[in-house]
Amino acid sequence: MGGLFGTIAKEKPCTTDLFYGTDYHSHLGTRRAGMATFSKEEGFFRSIHSLENSYFRTRFEPELGKFKGNAGIGVISDTDAQPLLMNSHLGRFAIVTVAK
């Protein structure tokens, strides 16, 4: 099982909300976790970590300062390393899935 969390803020960074929202779902999976944020100025920042030997907070807390932007998505997954960054004719996207 897994969980996903997304957030968008108008005028403030969303990193803290994304971190705690994704951490709330960390009891749903114990294999992998990932977060991605988007900033118009700097683009995407993505990070994926294994949760097999550690907790979500201890893996992601040290790099929270690197995440920039007001849109973000986070995922707890038992199968795949996510979020995926994809390019298309419509632009660049960060996507996650929670399914079998």
Side-chain angles (χ1 to χ4, degrees), residues 62-81:
E63 57 189 28
L64 276 181
K66 297 177 185 177
F67 286 95
K68 306 277 190 242
N70 63 341
I73 193 164
V75 65
I76 304 293
S77 176
D78 277 336
T79 57
D80 304 314

Side-chain angles (χ1 to χ4, degrees), residues 29-46:
T30 56
R31 191 138 185 210
R32 290 189 184 99
M35 294 188 342
T37 58
F38 177 75
S39 166
K40 288 183 182 179
E41 297 81 26
E42 298 181 34
F44 283 96
F45 180 80
R46 175 181 71 156

Side-chain angles (χ1 to χ4, degrees), residues 12-47:
K12 64 176 190 146
C14 70
T15 306
T16 305
D17 294 338
L18 180 65
F19 174 73
Y20 288 111
T22 306
D23 179 50
Y24 180 77
H25 294 298
S26 63
H27 70 282
L28 295 174
T30 56
R31 191 138 185 210
R32 290 189 184 99
M35 294 188 342
T37 58
F38 177 75
S39 166
K40 288 183 182 179
E41 297 81 26
E42 298 181 34
F44 283 96
F45 180 80
R46 175 181 71 156
S47 182

Side-chain angles (χ1 to χ4, degrees), residues 44-63:
F44 283 96
F45 180 80
R46 175 181 71 156
S47 182
I48 301 168
H49 292 288
S50 170
L51 299 180
E52 292 178 327
N53 297 323
S54 186
Y55 294 109
F56 177 87
R57 286 187 183 201
T58 57
R59 292 286 189 182
F60 285 90
E61 212 163 26
E63 57 189 28

